[in-house]
């Protein structure tokens, strides 16, 4: 009996229809060029049923590829200079919003970070599939809390009382209702503050400036049947410290997890504070 290839290793998923495969392709940071789109269309006509499905994690899949054409189709992806998807027990492609390149709410350059993470981590073998998301602000469009590891841009406001004229523009626009004017003074409840940057942007007198700035890091999020939000591991982490933090998180994960255990299961077993402490120890060591 002939052993079938490990289709998932190369980004192909068996369809429910016997003998057919989904050919999955990925991009970096959610971006794809017009030339690449043309090549994907050509692959869909050549190997599939002429259709392309855009996945919720910014990838593309071509249905209807015959199993006997697997090797030919896999080589065609490489020949076209496209990126095959990554499946199985490893780091999956990074999901990213546009960030401050184009989004008016974007605080950070999510595209640069996501491309770096994609190039250095996607495909790394781990105890279970590991999904990473990068979001430019508290709107969290890419759902960083619902991923194994999530990065969310954050900018904490500081008040310059000499410039503040108590106009109330920031109070009215604050999504978290964390700002109030009392006794002729503006104050911020930082326990409520989302560090979203809206107040800084709308202040007509530049009386609100950015204080602590960087990324909030979440770990242990999960979607699907049994979903849960990730735990806040670190706040206002500078971009140059993101890779050390990620390395530390992955090292702790590999140390504590059994095969097939998602990061969420590890945190549920050992506790968020214990995992956070181990991450900090890795960083200091």
């Amino acid at each position: 009996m002939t052993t079938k290839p490990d289709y998932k290793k190369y980004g192909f998923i068996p369809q429910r229809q016997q003998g057919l495969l989904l050919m999955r392709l990925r991009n970096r940071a959610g971006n794809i060029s017009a030339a690449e789109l043309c090549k994907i269309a050509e692959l869909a006509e050549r190997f599939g049923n002429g259709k392309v499905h855009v996945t919720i994690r910014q990838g593309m899949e071509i249905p209807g590829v015959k199993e006997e054409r697997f090797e030919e189709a896999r080589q065609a992806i490489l020949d076209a200079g496209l990126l095959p998807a990554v499946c199985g027990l490893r780091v999956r492609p990074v999901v990213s919003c546009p960030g401050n390149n184009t989004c008016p709410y974007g605080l950070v350059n999510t595209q640069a970070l996501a491309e770096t993470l994609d190039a250095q981590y996607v495909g790394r073998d781990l105890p279970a599939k590991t999904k990473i998301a990068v979001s430019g602000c508290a709107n969290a469009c890419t759902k960083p809390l619902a991923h194994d590891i999530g990065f969310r841009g954050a900018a904490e406001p500081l008040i310059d009382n000499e410039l503040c004229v108590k106009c109330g523009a920031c109070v009215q626009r604050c999504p978290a209702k964390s700002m109030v004017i009392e006794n002729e003074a503006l104050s911020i409840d930082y326990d409520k503050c989302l560090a979203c940057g809206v107040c800084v942007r709308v202040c007509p007198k530049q009386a609100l400036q950015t204080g602590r700035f960087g990324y909030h890091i979440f770990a242990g999020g999960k979607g699907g049947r049994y979903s849960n939000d990730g735990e806040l591991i670190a706040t206002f982490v500078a971009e140059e410290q993101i890779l050390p933090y990620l390395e530390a998180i992955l090292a702790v994960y590999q140390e504590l997890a059994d095969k097939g255990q998602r990061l969420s299961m590890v945190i549920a077993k050992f506790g968020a504070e214990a995992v956070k402490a181990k991450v900090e120890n890795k960083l200091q060591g």
Side-chain angles (χ1 to χ4, degrees):
M1 182 177 178
T2 304
T3 302
K4 290 187 177 182
D6 183 359
Y7 294 126
K8 286 188 177 182
K9 182 178 180 180
Y10 303 101
F12 287 72
I13 308 295
Q15 287 186 204
R16 68 183 301 164
Q17 295 84 1
Q18 190 171 359
L20 295 181
L21 303 171
L22 292 165
M23 178 198 294
R24 285 188 171 175
L25 304 166
R26 68 183 177 95
N27 53 59
R28 288 198 168 123
N31 297 313
I32 192 163
S33 69
E36 289 169 333
L37 284 172
C38 291
K39 292 176 181 179
I40 292 171
E42 183 180 343
L43 290 176
E45 294 287 355
R46 181 178 169 191
F47 294 101
N49 60 8
K51 295 181 179 180
V52 178
H53 174 71
V54 180
T55 73
I56 61 169
R57 300 198 74 251
Q58 300 178 333
M60 294 187 176
E61 61 184 22
I62 296 170
V65 179
K66 294 181 180 179
E67 281 191 82
E68 58 265 28
R69 301 193 70 188
F70 162 68
E71 290 291 352
E72 183 187 358
R74 184 172 76 88
Q75 188 59 49
I77 294 173
L78 302 177
D79 291 344
L82 298 171
L83 295 170
V86 174
C87 303
L89 309 184
R90 47 190 61 89
V91 178
R92 302 296 181 83
V94 178
V95 172
S96 174
C97 71
N100 62 11
N101 283 345
T102 56
C103 179
Y105 294 99
L107 300 171
V108 288
N109 190 341
T110 58
Q111 295 285 292
L113 176 60
E115 289 180 5
T116 297
L117 296 178
D118 189 289
Q120 295 193 30
Y121 290 93
V122 171
R124 179 184 290 194
D125 291 331
L126 288 173
K129 64 182 177 181
T130 301
K131 298 178 179 179
I132 298 174
V134 183
S135 178
C137 71
N139 286 341
C141 295
T142 56
K143 301 180 180 178
L145 273 73
H147 283 69
D148 296 272
I149 302 170
F151 301 97
R152 190 181 81 190
E156 188 175 67
L158 294 178
I159 304 169
D160 185 331
N161 288 304
E162 292 185 2
L163 294 177
C164 181
V165 296
K166 311 343 180 258
C167 68
C170 56
V171 175
Q172 294 177 8
R173 289 292 303 276
C174 177
K177 306 301 179 186
S178 66
M179 312 183 81
V180 64
I181 297 175
E182 290 181 335
N183 300 320
E184 298 299 316
L186 174 67
S187 63
I188 302 172
D189 183 343
Y190 286 106
D191 289 333
K192 290 182 179 179
C193 178
L194 297 173
C196 65
V198 168
C199 60
V200 174
R201 191 172 64 254
V202 303
C203 180
K205 299 296 183 179
Q206 288 77 53
L208 287 161
Q209 301 294 325
T210 298
R212 292 188 296 171
F213 178 81
Y215 286 89
H216 288 358
I217 302 178
F218 301 88
K222 184 178 177 296
R225 257 187 219 100
Y226 306 104
S227 61
N228 61 268
D229 284 346
E231 299 285 347
L232 184 61
I233 297 295
T235 59
F236 303 105
V237 177
E239 186 172 342
E240 59 268 22
Q241 288 300 311
I242 291 295
L243 296 188
Y245 257 101
L246 182 53
E247 284 288 353
I249 293 169
L250 294 180
V252 172
Y253 175 40
Q254 289 182 296
E255 179 182 309
L256 299 179
D258 296 326
K259 186 175 181 179
Q261 279 191 326
R262 296 282 291 273
L263 184 52
S264 60
M265 298 174 68
V266 171
I267 291 177
K269 180 178 180 180
F270 293 95
E273 290 304 316
V275 171
K276 182 178 178 180
K278 283 184 172 292
V279 169
E280 293 294 337
N281 287 337
K282 295 283 186 185
L283 286 166
Q284 294 170 10

